[in-house]
């Protein structure tokens, strides 16, 4: 009888172990259910990203904004409908997101090949990686098996996505809430080496930093004067776009970090990385090392971010259309 109880306990533990491993992301998750899934994504990205290379930055930003709200579950893709609250998509941090059509086109190809198998959450994660690689940036592992969320609230996006006006304390808190440390903060901010921004994300630094018509003293005065004269000519400019890493915004390199030390980080949240001894030390460490070291470290933080609060197993769903939950 004692032996039977022992066997029963071992069997139960085995089932628990199997359940826990099945509920994790894994490399090649679709190797049986949709063997060509990752190739379909990669081929589409390689064929089309060069027509709009700035989409690499846009989609990595989409991935970031998705993972910081309810985990990496594609909740950022959901449209607001009459039957739900305002979704993340219409929250202030997401109004300038781009690339939704690109994700939808990849989804349609995967639905044609393997209906209701590949999640929108995995598509965002794969496209972000493949787009960065296709434009000369680092490769990182993307384990798959994420499922799509069914809830999306604009208020949660507002509360969880770090705004460009963040100081160091706010950045540290919001990253820690997602299980990310200061090293991840520095590395993931490094994605600002590519892409563009609108004046509205930083014009307060130029025209009204503390509410009395002043300029942020932490911003290099020559750089600020140049931005005022050539780009953001007023506090109310919401349309002009500015390179986030001037002169190098199409190249995934260390230039972003060099600009931080020259007080030329575009956002207050960029500048904040130099106000803490730990993050400043790591910025200097990255600059003193080879580019491949940055690539390797960035890859680790991207994989870590891609695992935030993922839904796996039977949680969530596999959306048929990325912008709407299944009926």
């Amino acid at each position: 009888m004692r032996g039977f109880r022992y066997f029963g306990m071992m069997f139960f533990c085995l089932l628990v172990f199997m359940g826990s491993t099945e509920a994790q992301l894994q490399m090649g998750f679709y190797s049986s259910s949709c063997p060509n899934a990752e190739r379909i994504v990669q081929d589409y990205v390689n064929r089309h990203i060069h027509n709009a290379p700035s989409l690499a930055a846009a989609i990595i930003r989409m991935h970031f904004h998705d993972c910081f709200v309810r985990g990496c579950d594609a909740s950022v893709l959901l449209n607001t409908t009459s039957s739900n609250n305002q979704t993340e998509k219409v929250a202030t941090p997401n109004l300038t997101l781009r690339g939704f059509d690109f994700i939808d086109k990849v989804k349609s190809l995967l639905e044609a090949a393997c209906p209701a198998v590949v999640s929108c959450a995995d598509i965002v994660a794969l496209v972000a990686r493949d787009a960065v690689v296709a434009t000369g940036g680092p490769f990182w592992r993307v384990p798959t098996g994420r499922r799509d969320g069914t809830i999306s609230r604009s208020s949660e996006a507002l509360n969880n996505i770090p705004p460009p006006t963040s100081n160091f304390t706010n950045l540290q808190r919001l990253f820690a809430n997602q299980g990310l440390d200061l090293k991840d903060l520095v590395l993931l901010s490094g994605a600002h080496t590519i892409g563009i921004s609108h004046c509205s994300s930083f014009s307060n630094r130029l025209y009204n930093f503390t509410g009395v018509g002043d300029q942020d003293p932490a911003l290099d005065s020559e750089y600020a004067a140049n931005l005022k004269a050539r780009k953001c000519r007023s506090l109310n400019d919401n349309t002009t776009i500015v390179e986030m890493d001037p002169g190098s915004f199409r190249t995934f390199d260390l230039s972003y970090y060099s600009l931080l030390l020259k007080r030329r980080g575009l956002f207050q949240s960029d500048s904040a990385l130099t106000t803490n001894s730990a993050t400043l030390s790591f910025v200097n460490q990255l600059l003193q090392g080879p580019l491949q070291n940055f690539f390797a470290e960035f890859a680790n933080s991207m994989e870590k971010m891609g695992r935030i609060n993922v839904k796996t197993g039977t949680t969530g769903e596999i959306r048929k259309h990325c912008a709407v939950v299944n009926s």
Side-chain angles (χ1 to χ4, degrees):
M1 186 69 178
R2 187 179 303 159
F4 180 75
R5 282 203 302 268
Y6 176 77
F7 175 78
M9 181 59 71
M10 289 294 292
F11 182 69
F12 174 75
C13 290
L14 178 62
L15 287 178
V16 170
F17 175 76
M18 288 173 62
S20 68
T21 53
E22 285 173 359
Q24 302 302 310
L25 302 181
Q26 60 189 68
M27 297 301 293
F29 179 83
Y30 299 108
S31 58
S32 297
S33 57
C34 190
N36 294 321
E38 294 192 29
R39 176 51 60 89
I40 289 169
V41 175
Q42 186 181 51
D43 285 351
Y44 185 84
V45 169
N46 289 343
R47 282 199 313 271
H48 297 281
I49 199 69
H50 297 290
N51 296 328
S54 66
L55 270 181
I59 294 174
I60 203 171
R61 181 172 177 240
M62 178 191 290
H63 185 30
F64 179 95
H65 283 208
D66 181 40
C67 292
F68 266 62
V69 186
R70 292 187 168 267
C72 311
D73 67 348
S75 53
V76 74
L77 305 180
L78 289 171
N79 287 338
T80 294
T81 68
S82 57
S83 61
N84 66 6
N85 296 318
Q86 297 285 292
T87 61
E88 295 167 36
K89 205 183 223 183
V90 299
T92 300
N94 294 329
L95 291 177
T96 53
L97 284 184
R98 298 181 299 124
F100 296 106
D101 289 347
F102 199 93
I103 298 297
D104 287 341
K105 285 170 183 170
V106 174
K107 176 63 170 173
S108 66
L109 292 174
L110 289 165
E111 283 297 300
C114 315
V117 171
V118 182
S119 70
C120 300
D122 276 342
I123 292 170
V124 172
L126 288 166
V127 170
R129 190 271 310 278
D130 291 345
V132 168
V133 171
T135 52
F139 172 91
W140 63 90
R141 286 168 23 110
V142 180
T144 45
R146 298 167 189 78
R147 287 170 65 85
D148 299 324
T150 57
I151 298 171
S152 181
R153 299 188 180 118
S154 62
S155 59
E156 293 181 352
L158 205 56
N159 292 333
N160 289 287
I161 295 170
T165 54
S166 292
N167 59 23
F168 176 79
T169 303
N170 198 40
L171 288 172
Q172 184 177 31
R173 177 182 63 85
L174 292 172
F175 272 68
N177 287 347
Q178 307 300 335
L180 299 172
D181 58 27
L182 294 183
K183 188 174 180 181
D184 299 315
L185 167 59
V186 172
L187 290 162
L188 295 174
S189 296
H192 288 175
T193 185
I194 55 174
I196 53 179
S197 172
H198 291 83
C199 290
S200 54
S201 294
F202 60 88
S203 56
N204 68 305
R205 299 188 76 195
L206 302 175
Y207 293 104
N208 200 29
F209 187 59
T210 64
V212 293
D214 55 339
Q215 186 172 294
D216 183 355
L219 185 63
D220 177 70
S221 57
E222 186 180 333
Y223 182 41
N226 184 52
L227 287 169
K228 285 180 175 179
R230 301 186 180 186
K231 294 289 185 178
C232 310
R233 293 191 167 95
S234 80
L235 182 61
N236 302 316
D237 185 340
N238 295 316
T239 55
T240 302
I241 56 175
V242 179
E243 299 171 5
M244 297 175 73
D245 184 0
S248 177
F249 80 108
R250 293 192 189 279
T251 307
F252 214 103
D253 56 20
L254 290 162
S255 173
Y256 164 77
Y257 296 114
S258 297
L259 291 173
L260 292 187
L261 299 187
K262 295 175 182 175
R263 300 191 301 125
R264 294 191 171 199
L266 195 59
F267 299 152
Q268 191 177 345
S269 58
D270 295 322
S271 177
L273 299 182
T274 65
T275 65
N276 171 267
S277 60
T279 51
L280 178 58
S281 174
F282 190 53
V283 167
N284 279 299
Q285 186 180 322
L286 287 170
L287 284 169
Q288 289 161 12
L291 180 63
Q292 288 307 314
N293 178 62
F294 168 48
F295 276 21
E297 296 274 22
F298 181 83
N300 289 335
S301 287
M302 282 301 301
E303 183 177 348
K304 184 176 176 181
M305 186 190 80
R307 293 178 179 272
I308 295 174
N309 293 329
V310 292
K311 295 168 178 63
T312 57
T314 57
T315 308
E317 64 181 15
I318 305 297
R319 278 183 227 145
K320 295 173 186 174
H321 302 282
C322 289
V324 293
V325 296
N326 296 340
S327 55

